[in-house]
Amino acid sequence: MFNSLTGILTEKLPQKVCLDVHGIEWNLTVSDVSLDALPVIGTECRIFTYLIHKEDQMKLYGFATQEERNLFLDLLKVDGIGPKGAMKILSGSSVESFASALESGEVGMLEALPGISKKAAQKMMLTLKGKLTLIDDSGRGGKKAEKVSKWNDVIVALVEMGYDRRRCEEVVERVASQLMETGKTESQIEGELFRLCIVEMSV
């Protein structure tokens, strides 16, 4: 699978760019946000990619940042949202704004996105809240990679049980801090942390 292409930007059109990579010109479908973020024609740039291959067509999608591609892939997990719909959503909102609306439960903001009904907004909320993959390794000025907690396995396990990620992070860090104050080792804390957090979250 292609991860990215680096070459000279030769064309910028609505939701489309062309990139010359050593004499081969690639045609990529991009969001309006990526289109604005990419440099002027004639400049060398790197575009993150995702290839969708069906029986009757093959389409290459491009993204200015790895974070935007991650959100695109997350959106494809939502029932009823395909590549075309995902690109419309990416064109109507920055990754940061979308993630903020999702995590704060602002269904109205999601409904305002292009082509999104109230039902689709609710599906996105149910499917993606607390589960977005927003790490950006592009080094191109996007959102910085979030610090991963040393107790991330416990956080993930709690989220998979249906608890809100933000609350899981807060509870896990607080309970782990309390256990560390007792002088317990990390291995001892790991053995008790999940159980204690379940009790805390159930209150």
Side-chain angles (χ1 to χ4, degrees):
M1 178 64 68
F2 302 112
N3 180 56
S4 68
L5 293 170
T6 300
I8 304 298
L9 200 60
T10 58
E11 194 170 0
K12 294 179 72 173
L13 296 169
Q15 298 186 338
K16 170 188 170 182
V17 297
C18 292
L19 192 72
D20 187 324
V21 182
H22 302 302
I24 298 176
E25 193 171 29
W26 297 83
N27 184 333
L28 301 100
T29 297
V30 299
S31 70
D32 292 341
V33 172
S34 273
L35 191 68
D36 291 339
L38 291 170
V40 297
I41 292 173
T43 304
E44 182 177 78
C45 65
R46 181 186 186 189
I47 300 179
F48 293 93
T49 60
Y50 188 76
L51 178 67
I52 292 184
H53 188 190
K54 297 182 179 180
E55 290 183 5
D56 57 344
Q57 67 172 330
M58 190 161 38
K59 200 164 189 177
L60 190 62
Y61 292 85
F63 310 89
T65 66
Q66 188 169 345
E67 187 180 42
E68 187 189 33
R69 179 176 62 182
N70 287 343
L71 179 53
F72 173 80
L73 296 176
D74 282 337
L75 287 169
L76 295 183
K77 298 173 186 176
V78 180
D79 184 38
I81 296 181
K84 187 176 180 180
M87 293 306 284
K88 280 186 178 181
I89 293 170
L90 294 177
S91 290
S93 171
S94 67
V95 174
E96 291 81 3
S97 295
F98 181 91
S100 177
L102 192 70
E103 296 309 309
S104 59
E106 296 178 24
V107 178
M109 184 276 185
L110 299 180
E111 286 181 49
L113 293 170
I116 297 301
S117 64
K118 182 175 182 178
K119 185 176 181 180
Q122 291 172 339
K123 281 184 178 180
M124 285 194 289
M125 190 70 69
L126 289 171
T127 305
L128 300 178
K129 187 175 182 180
K131 301 176 183 178
L132 290 180
T133 310
L134 294 179
I135 303 300
D136 180 13
D137 297 321
S138 67
R140 297 187 55 173
K143 181 181 176 183
K144 292 181 180 179
E146 297 177 3
K147 182 179 179 181
V148 178
S149 169
K150 68 168 63 176
W151 317 111
N152 193 58
D153 288 346
V154 176
I155 293 171
V156 170
L158 289 168
V159 170
E160 289 179 348
M161 291 180 66
Y163 293 110
D164 176 75
R165 173 175 285 275
R166 190 170 297 175
R167 175 158 165 70
C168 289
E169 291 172 347
E170 292 173 356
V171 171
V172 168
E173 293 298 336
R174 175 160 48 80
V175 174
S177 179
Q178 292 170 350
L179 289 172
M180 290 176 72
E181 289 176 358
T182 66
K184 294 181 182 291
T185 65
E186 286 193 8
S187 60
Q188 289 174 324
I189 292 173
E190 287 177 354
E192 298 181 36
L193 189 55
F194 182 74
R195 176 180 59 80
L196 292 175
C197 286
I198 285 288
V199 173
E200 179 82 11
M201 300 285 285
S202 300
V203 174

